[in-house]
Amino acid sequence: MKSYLRLQTPRENRSNIICFFLIFLYLIGLLPIVGEPFSFVYFIAAIIPIGIIQLWALIYLIAPYKFEKSYYLFFGIYGVVNTYIYFLVIQKLLYLNMGAQGRGPFLKGVLFFVALLVGVNLLNWKALYSGTYYKLQQKSTIPVSWLAIGGASYVLGQLILSFVYTDSAVFILLIVCISLLSLFTAFFSVYIHRYYFIGKNIELVMQMNPEFGMPLSKRHRKKKNLKKLHKSTK
């Protein structure tokens, strides 16, 4: 439990938002959506969840210390949204660039998308209760075959789907790369579980980090009081 509750600082949380939004969400996700061939349908399907998650992100850019706990729920939802945007990018490549027809590719894509998110969260649960996170922090040797199999299955599924509709190495490579990035962003969805896990074990969290959830001003005040108490004891 302690290994799972080793949390980042609010400053690191804010840096994560800036980095991941600029690179993974906007540059790699939104840019292909607005690129040629442009489709208003794909644009609307992408811009609505992006706009919502962007407005939500402002809270943690402005006051990351005060809203430290809810950040984990936010970042988990961000992981779902970013993975969904990559799903749209792959669908756009299949239909508009590679000429796919019918509902088959879309339904298969939805199946892969849902299976990826469910699979990642099941693996997170397994890692938590099998001691994998503790072993990682102790730099112990851990079996990762289940993780490799899960990731390879998703990429292989997208690869087979792309082979059906094109023999272009460029488009196949693009889909494989986006699929690999989807594994990365899908992992962020496990923060939803971590948010609820923090709530259930808040006493342990406060023992490990007494300043958790405090505004920055209160943290400074608490540090000053501790320094004064330390001096007086001398």
Side-chain angles (χ1 to χ4, degrees):
M1 289 175 63
K2 287 184 177 180
S3 63
Y4 194 59
L5 292 172
R6 291 185 184 273
L7 308 176
Q8 296 184 132
T9 66
R11 182 176 294 179
E12 290 172 326
N13 294 341
R14 180 165 54 189
S15 299
N16 283 346
I17 293 174
I18 296 171
C19 176
F20 291 132
F21 268 61
L22 289 178
I23 298 175
F24 292 100
L25 187 57
Y26 298 142
L27 182 61
I28 303 175
L30 185 59
L31 190 60
I33 294 293
V34 300
E36 294 294 337
F38 179 77
S39 169
F40 186 73
V41 173
Y42 283 100
F43 175 74
I44 290 297
I47 202 65
I48 292 175
I50 287 178
I52 293 172
I53 202 72
Q54 177 61 78
L55 289 174
W56 194 1
L58 294 176
I59 296 174
Y60 308 102
L61 295 176
I62 297 171
Y65 293 88
K66 182 179 180 180
F67 299 100
E68 186 176 3
K69 179 185 174 183
S70 64
Y71 164 83
Y72 292 91
L73 177 61
F74 156 79
F75 201 69
I77 299 298
Y78 155 75
V80 175
V81 170
N82 208 149
T83 308
Y84 162 74
I85 298 301
Y86 289 164
F87 158 76
L88 289 180
V89 172
I90 292 175
Q91 290 296 305
K92 182 182 177 183
L93 286 171
L94 287 171
Y95 279 97
L96 300 187
N97 294 92
M98 297 160 60
Q101 300 291 330
R103 297 180 180 178
F106 173 75
L107 294 177
K108 292 174 184 176
V110 171
L111 180 63
F112 292 151
F113 171 70
V114 173
L116 174 62
L117 293 176
V118 172
V120 165
N121 281 274
L122 287 176
L123 292 176
N124 175 66
W125 186 87
K126 178 179 176 64
L128 171 60
Y129 291 103
S130 64
T132 300
Y133 285 117
Y134 174 76
K135 292 175 183 177
L136 278 171
Q137 292 179 6
Q138 298 300 315
K139 298 182 180 180
S140 304
T141 302
I142 59 171
V144 293
S145 56
W146 42 270
L147 181 60
I149 292 171
S153 298
Y154 178 76
V155 176
L156 183 61
Q158 295 287 7
L159 182 61
I160 292 173
L161 189 60
S162 63
F163 267 121
V164 172
Y165 296 100
T166 187
D167 56 358
S168 171
V170 173
F171 287 127
I172 292 173
L173 180 61
L174 283 173
I175 288 179
V176 169
C177 290
I178 295 170
S179 299
L180 289 171
L181 287 171
S182 297
L183 301 179
F184 185 64
T185 57
F187 176 75
F188 297 148
S189 68
V190 305
Y191 276 65
I192 299 174
H193 175 269
R194 186 168 291 186
Y195 167 76
Y196 289 106
F197 195 82
I198 289 171
K200 288 181 179 180
N201 300 277
I202 192 64
E203 292 182 0
L204 179 58
V205 173
M206 298 305 295
Q207 288 177 14
M208 297 174 64
N209 182 10
E211 296 180 339
F212 183 80
M214 286 186 180
L216 185 58
S217 58
K218 288 187 177 181
R219 297 186 190 212
H220 287 325
R221 195 178 306 131
K222 187 172 183 178
K223 287 180 180 178
K224 288 180 180 178
N225 292 336
L226 288 174
K227 287 181 180 179
K228 289 180 181 179
L229 180 63
H230 181 68
K231 289 179 179 179
S232 63
T233 54
K234 287 184 177 180

